[in-house]
Amino acid sequence: MKAVAVAIMVAWSGAALAAGAGEAPMSVNGIVDALTPTQQSAVSNARPKPGVERGLNLANGTNNSAAAEPSSQMRKLDFKVEFEFNSATLLPSATEVLDLLGQALTTSDLKGYRFRIGGHTDAVGSPTYNKQLSARRANAVKEYLSSRFGISPDRLQTAGYGSEMPLDPRNPKDGKNRRVEIANLGR
């Protein structure tokens, strides 16, 4: 079966950690470090500074506590998760990556936080189909993490963005735009 590579995007201040070909594999501790807010970037209920964008949880259409934190301060991390072609079925190689993520999300450092899993596609195919596929893939990641690691589904929100927010806007059909994003939404 033909596989489609999907990156998980978990970012913080534009600094990204990546586990790609030829690099050391991402560790549970590396993921924990990347997703754990520091005192300086911890989510608060304070109003954002003028001119700073507010976040919006598109999964349920409501503002959340992460909205007060500028999106540029959200924790980020890239790594690959593979699905069957044109499908939300995880390939065996995906479970290796998601197992690291699941172990990290169940550590004492991250156990009290909520996360948004957002699916993204490239611009190949119709926008409507891509939005549906990205939502199904985000839900597949949520289901895997919930069933395998006992992570409460209430801690994991999902959103399907389709090709609306490409990682590489100059090349919207490039495969690097296919990814699943995970963001720490706070407690």
Side-chain angles (χ1 to χ4, degrees):
M1 260 184 242
K2 186 174 178 184
V4 176
V6 178
I8 284 193
M9 179 70 121
V10 187
W12 181 65
S13 296
L17 300 172
E23 296 179 26
M26 178 54 58
S27 69
V28 171
N29 288 337
I31 295 170
V32 170
D33 290 345
L35 290 175
T36 303
T38 61
Q39 282 290 12
Q40 184 178 16
S41 69
V43 174
S44 71
N45 289 323
R47 298 190 77 92
K49 295 177 186 173
V52 174
E53 290 184 26
R54 291 180 58 90
L56 180 66
N57 175 1
L58 297 178
N60 64 16
T62 61
N63 285 330
N64 58 45
S65 60
E69 181 178 1
S71 60
S72 64
Q73 292 181 0
M74 290 185 114
R75 308 298 269 184
K76 291 187 180 182
L77 175 68
D78 288 339
F79 50 101
K80 231 166 64 167
V81 176
E82 294 181 333
F83 294 89
E84 288 183 7
F85 177 71
N86 204 26
S87 166
T89 302
L90 294 165
L91 290 177
S93 60
T95 61
E96 209 172 294
V97 173
L98 292 178
D99 284 349
L100 291 174
L101 179 60
Q103 290 171 42
L105 295 180
T106 56
T107 64
S108 60
D109 291 325
L110 295 177
K111 203 167 193 159
Y113 291 96
R114 296 173 302 112
F115 297 88
R116 179 180 54 233
I117 302 167
H120 299 266
T121 66
D122 57 27
V124 176
S126 79
T128 301
Y129 180 78
N130 283 340
K131 199 164 195 162
Q132 293 168 350
L133 178 61
S134 63
R136 291 193 337 257
R137 287 180 170 174
N139 283 323
V141 170
K142 176 181 178 174
E143 175 58 32
Y144 182 84
L145 294 172
S146 293
S147 65
R148 174 106 164 101
F149 293 94
I151 298 170
S152 170
D154 293 339
R155 287 183 57 209
L156 304 172
Q157 300 174 5
T158 60
Y161 301 109
S163 59
E164 294 173 358
M165 297 184 288
L167 194 57
D168 183 0
R170 292 182 186 176
N171 300 301
K173 292 184 179 184
D174 192 301
K176 67 177 129 187
N177 294 311
R178 294 187 300 263
R179 65 196 189 281
V180 175
E181 174 183 281
I182 184 163
N184 188 331
L185 298 176
R187 295 187 188 269

